[in-house]
Amino acid sequence: MLRIEKWDDKNNYRTINHSAEVFHKALRAVLNGERRFHVTGAAEKYDLVYENNDDFISDGSDHEQKTLLAGEMLLPPYFLYDENDASRIRLDIMGRYENIVFEEANEYTVVLAGLVLRLTDKEVFFLDERADWFLPHHDRLHMGEEPSDNRSEMRVCEGKVPINLFANRTGMISIFLFQEVFLLQWLCGDLPLEKIKYAEIFVKKTEGIGALLQYGVKCATLFNDLGIKVVFRAESSRFSDEMLQQYFHIETTPADSDETNTIYIVNYMAVVRTFTYMFSRARISYDVLNPTFVREMDEYAGAVLADRHMLGVLFRGTDYAIAFGNMPAHIPYVPVVVEDMIPVIQQRMEKYHYDGIFLATEDAEALQTIRDAFPGKVITVAQERYKITEFAPGQTISDLEKAAYRQEEYDDRVKDTTVNYFYALYVLSKCDGFLASTLCNGVGIVRGFNGGRFESDDIVREMITKGEIA
């Protein structure tokens, strides 16, 4: 991002003439290693100072110590983008807000404000009057003033502020908002849309099968309308291609794919951490499963549930808590402690008169806590479970499995774990009600399999964020 700062007359920098292209001219020089620029020709002369977007994420965090995030670029630099290419600009995240308030003038807020004025009917408020140097007069542009009405509002801020997209008024960090709007341009690169036939994707080798399938479905939703087919790169996950073909329906990169017709989406974490991805309405269906596998799970679910009125509970702990536990509480992926689940489960049991609880969790301590709270009511499937004390900082379940088993045993272990995991998710989808601790890939799979038939369906982390429970 380029920030607007006072002219530094103590040092010499490249001088750029102020114009509608001033940011793009500076960014081209950034690619050559320059970081600060003098600008003349505006109402006042000023400097543009480049800051690396990814430094915003890593500042004060320990994500490099985490297997899940280590080595990943989480916020792209966006050296190249085209604000005039409306076909690859997404303003969906602003849809429910009537007023868009920008606090500080910088490259991203100026560009975003121009897009909102040009492509929507929303009112734009700019508290920083320097924005007047860049934006032409517009009836819906209010310079240097706050909204006087009580309409829904997105306030675009700098710094690490809470984000709550469920609220009528929310703050949104400008770097994050820019990524949401230009995500498609970044993924497609400089290959013209009409030439793109395939989008090749893969997940990190630490990710589970739920993440792999969800990623495929959500990326397909993003690209299908553009006529682009999403495919997986063969042998790219921690699962053998043989196992994937046995249980799932996954299309891999075809022979005619090459750099002239294919875009390569290699920055997995940068995509899944976007709100576009997290709040995608895309749902997994049985189409991702081998029909024989579905029949086997259906028979098992019938035997386990036996026509009883059941509440399905999904609790995600252990390595999930380690990966996301220190993030702000408003982030949908942030885990909750099992003690916060108990009163919500109790309320659902009483309100809907459930006969019992089907619990899916990899967390041994959570299993014991819920069993103790609801004696004789909890049913589970057999699966490997862990205690959080078994994990070193940044470790994942995949790391523990690799350390515990020889390579020839590891593939069989992964296969068994994956199959059991899907049996648990399938049984959850056949329950009458559903309650999850936090947003995770399993939630999307359960809801997709259920098809909206749950009589109750909630995520405790979302309930806390919305203020429905303390």
Side-chain angles (χ1 to χ4, degrees):
M1 175 198 281
L2 292 164
R3 297 201 181 274
I4 303 166
E5 297 190 5
K6 290 183 178 180
W7 179 287
D8 176 12
D9 57 9
K10 295 180 180 178
N11 293 285
N12 294 319
Y13 304 101
R14 177 197 293 257
T15 299
I16 303 173
N17 290 325
H18 179 77
S19 71
E21 293 294 308
V22 65
F23 298 131
H24 294 291
K25 290 179 180 178
L27 289 172
R28 286 193 289 271
V30 169
L31 289 171
N32 292 328
E34 298 178 55
R35 290 295 183 267
R36 190 172 185 123
F37 310 89
H38 287 324
V39 183
T40 59
E44 297 179 23
K45 59 184 183 180
Y46 60 92
D47 281 1
L48 290 176
V49 181
Y50 177 78
E51 294 180 1
N52 183 24
N53 288 347
D54 215 35
D55 289 345
F56 179 85
I57 291 287
S58 59
D59 181 32
S61 74
D62 61 350
H63 78 258
E64 282 301 322
Q65 300 175 19
K66 297 176 180 177
T67 306
L68 188 64
L69 305 179
E72 288 281 320
M73 179 178 65
L74 304 181
L75 274 174
Y78 288 99
F79 295 123
L80 304 173
Y81 60 89
D82 183 358
E83 58 266 51
N84 296 309
D85 182 5
S87 67
R88 298 193 296 176
I89 287 171
R90 301 175 62 90
L91 298 172
D92 313 50
I93 194 171
M94 303 183 197
R96 61 185 294 265
Y97 302 99
E98 297 166 284
N99 293 336
I100 311 297
V101 182
F102 296 94
E103 292 190 343
E104 177 185 299
N106 57 52
E107 175 200 357
Y108 287 178
T109 56
V110 168
V111 170
L112 290 168
L115 289 175
V116 174
L117 291 170
R118 180 163 57 90
L119 302 177
T120 78
D121 60 358
K122 301 180 186 301
E123 300 291 323
V124 173
F125 297 80
F126 234 118
L127 306 188
D128 185 344
E129 296 189 19
R130 294 179 301 174
D132 193 43
W133 304 345
F134 302 86
L135 297 170
H137 173 77
H138 196 289
D139 291 343
R140 288 185 284 110
L141 175 60
H142 311 278
M143 198 67 64
E145 62 179 273
E146 291 272 7
S148 58
D149 53 42
N150 198 35
R151 299 196 298 175
S152 58
E153 172 184 302
M154 174 181 281
R155 182 169 292 255
V156 185
C157 314
E158 310 307 311
K160 297 184 178 182
V161 300
I163 300 172
N164 179 5
L165 293 177
F166 299 110
N168 192 48
R169 282 181 168 76
T170 190
M172 173 60 75
I173 301 166
S174 64
I175 298 176
F176 290 170
L177 182 58
F178 194 89
Q179 182 174 7
E180 300 295 330
V181 172
F182 285 95
L183 177 66
L184 196 56
Q185 284 195 21
W186 173 63
L187 295 178
C188 291
D190 57 1
L191 198 61
L193 279 178
E194 61 272 15
K195 292 187 177 181
I196 303 174
K197 188 175 181 181
Y198 305 110
E200 183 188 81
I201 62 175
F202 58 85
V203 302
K204 287 175 69 71
K205 288 185 179 290
T206 51
E207 290 286 60
I209 187 65
L212 186 152
L213 296 175
Q214 284 278 74
Y215 195 54
V217 169
K218 291 191 176 186
C219 285
T221 300
L222 188 64
F223 285 105
N224 278 352
D225 290 343
L226 300 173
I228 299 171
K229 186 175 185 177
V230 171
V231 293
F232 273 100
R233 193 173 76 187
E235 301 180 351
S236 64
S237 74
R238 68 186 180 101
F239 307 99
S240 70
D241 288 352
E242 179 184 15
M243 190 214 84
L244 292 177
Q245 292 168 7
Q246 181 180 353
Y247 292 100
F248 307 102
H249 176 68
I250 295 174
E251 295 193 60
T252 53
T253 309
D256 67 331
S257 168
D258 59 32
E259 65 276 3
T260 67
N261 63 13
T262 303
I263 55 175
Y264 304 95
I265 305 176
V266 299
N267 294 105
Y268 171 71
M269 291 306 301
V271 175
V272 301
R273 285 167 60 94
T274 63
F275 295 101
T276 295
Y277 183 91
M278 286 189 281
F279 292 105
S280 169
R281 295 182 180 274
R283 291 286 182 265
I284 279 182
S285 68
Y286 295 143
D287 293 341
V288 302
L289 304 176
N290 182 302
T292 301
F293 189 31
V294 174
R295 288 194 296 272
E296 292 171 353
M297 291 191 295
D298 200 49
E299 292 176 4
Y300 180 81
V304 169
L305 299 178
D307 295 323
R308 286 175 291 184
H309 192 55
M310 299 290 286
L311 173 65
V313 176
L314 175 59
F315 183 87
R316 192 68 171 88
T318 60
D319 60 343
Y320 208 79
I322 292 173
F324 301 107
N326 65 346
M327 290 185 177
H330 55 271
I331 300 297
Y333 289 127
V334 173
V336 299
V337 296
V338 67
E339 288 76 13
D340 288 343
M341 294 285 292
I342 302 301
V344 186
I345 295 173
Q346 183 65 47
Q347 189 273 340
R348 294 293 184 274
M349 295 289 287
E350 294 173 356
K351 180 177 180 179
Y352 295 97
H353 307 290
Y354 291 117
D355 298 321
I357 300 163
F358 178 79
L359 174 64
T361 183
E362 87 297 347
D363 192 308
E365 292 169 331
L367 171 60
Q368 189 60 52
T369 299
I370 295 175
R371 274 181 169 165
D372 290 344
F374 302 95
K377 295 285 188 179
V378 179
I379 301 173
T380 65
V381 298
Q383 65 182 98
E384 189 74 17
R385 294 188 173 89
Y386 305 87
K387 296 180 179 180
I388 198 167
T389 52
E390 298 179 59
F391 294 82
Q395 275 193 316
T396 66
I397 290 176
S398 173
D399 295 326
L400 292 188
E401 289 174 337
K402 288 178 180 177
Y405 301 101
R406 297 191 303 272
Q407 184 59 47
E408 57 268 27
E409 299 174 312
Y410 177 71
D411 288 345
D412 289 339
R413 187 69 184 179
V414 168
K415 179 178 178 179
D416 290 343
T417 300
T418 301
V419 171
N420 287 345
Y421 172 69
F422 259 84
Y423 267 85
L425 296 182
Y426 191 86
V427 176
L428 282 173
S429 75
K430 294 297 183 180
C431 290
D432 301 282
F434 180 53
L435 184 69
S437 58
T438 189
L439 185 64
C440 64
N441 290 302
V443 171
I445 294 173
V446 171
R447 286 175 166 173
F449 286 170
N450 179 264
R453 296 186 300 273
F454 287 127
E455 64 185 353
S456 63
D457 181 358
D458 290 290
I459 300 175
V460 173
R461 169 54 60 197
E462 287 186 1
M463 296 173 71
I464 293 172
T465 300
K466 293 177 181 178
E468 296 174 1
I469 58 176

